[in-house]
Amino acid sequence: MLVGAGNTRLRIVHAALLAGVLTGCSEAAEGDDSKASAHPSATAETSAPDDTAATGGGTIGAAGSACELPVTFDIAKSWKAEAVEAPLSQGPVSLACEIDAKPAGNIGFLRVWAGKSGDADTRAVLEAFVAAEDGVTKEKYRTFTTGGVSGVEVEYLYTSELLEETKKESAFAVTTADGPVVVHLGGLDTAEHEEMLPAYELARRTLRTA
């Protein structure tokens, strides 16, 4: 589970977001019920952008950007990035940056988590990150390569005991000289998650390490 107050604080944020959008909010979509083993093996090379790709709104990660990270990637247009200085950790990584989708019309965040150097097994880091989130089922892992950077990606279902609902979540991880980085996409519900996937895929497709 999240270290310290992390689990409680993230769940409070989730609940607050839900309360704020109850009026006029669209119905939450059902979680994906497709069966998947916990550790399937697959490899994919990121394809070229298509008509559903998100429009870039700038790059973060480099010195002087909104979030200075061990990696750089493009964020979607209108999404707002902000560095996080809070003692929140999940598994072997700590929260370093939140990229808010609300200015673009969605409820959710693309969160960037960073770990210490020495954690070189990307798959193990991502598995530990997912295992630290209570309520996860139907994990589906795969490897990917983009721009010469190799990583591991996971899709899974998360069930909130507080809200009594199940929704999709996604994350990918890479290893850098400064430690592992995990980029996670949640969302208010599955419908919001799927609407925000182009921004997540833009981040993965443009990911570069220092």
Side-chain angles (χ1 to χ4, degrees):
M1 62 179 60
L2 291 171
V3 172
N7 190 42
T8 300
R9 293 180 61 181
L10 289 182
R11 297 296 177 259
I12 289 174
V13 170
H14 190 162
L17 288 174
L18 178 62
V21 297
L22 284 177
T23 303
C25 183
S26 60
E27 294 183 358
E30 292 292 333
D32 184 1
D33 292 327
S34 61
K35 294 183 178 179
S37 62
H39 305 293
S41 176
T43 302
E45 177 76 28
T46 302
S47 58
D50 57 25
D51 292 337
T52 64
T55 301
T59 301
I60 65 166
S65 64
C67 297
E68 296 185 12
L69 304 164
V71 298
T72 63
F73 59 84
D74 291 352
I75 62 174
K77 184 178 181 180
S78 298
W79 286 51
K80 182 176 177 59
E82 183 177 1
V84 176
E85 296 181 2
L88 301 178
S89 60
Q90 183 168 325
V93 290
S94 299
L95 186 60
C97 181
E98 284 188 335
I99 307 162
D100 192 353
K102 286 196 293 296
N106 290 107
I107 305 299
F109 293 89
L110 194 63
R111 289 188 169 99
V112 186
W113 304 72
K116 298 178 180 179
S117 59
D119 294 324
D121 190 329
T122 308
R123 171 74 176 243
V125 167
L126 189 56
E127 288 180 343
F129 175 83
V130 173
E133 184 173 11
D134 294 336
V136 170
T137 58
K138 297 187 177 180
E139 306 97 312
K140 183 188 298 185
Y141 290 87
R142 73 182 184 106
T143 58
F144 70 89
T145 301
T146 177
V149 179
S150 297
V152 180
E153 182 178 19
V154 63
E155 297 175 352
Y156 58 91
L157 299 182
Y158 166 71
T159 301
S160 169
E161 293 183 3
L162 176 64
L163 302 176
E164 297 183 345
E165 67 178 14
T166 298
K167 61 190 180 75
K168 287 183 180 179
E169 298 195 359
S170 303
F172 66 80
V174 295
T175 299
T176 76
D178 295 321
V181 173
V182 176
V183 178
H184 172 265
L185 178 67
L188 180 67
D189 53 32
T190 293
E192 289 285 344
H193 179 83
E194 292 181 342
E195 287 182 13
M196 295 186 294
L197 275 176
Y200 167 86
E201 291 165 353
L202 173 67
R204 186 190 60 204
R205 188 174 68 246
T206 59
L207 185 77
R208 299 293 183 270
T209 58

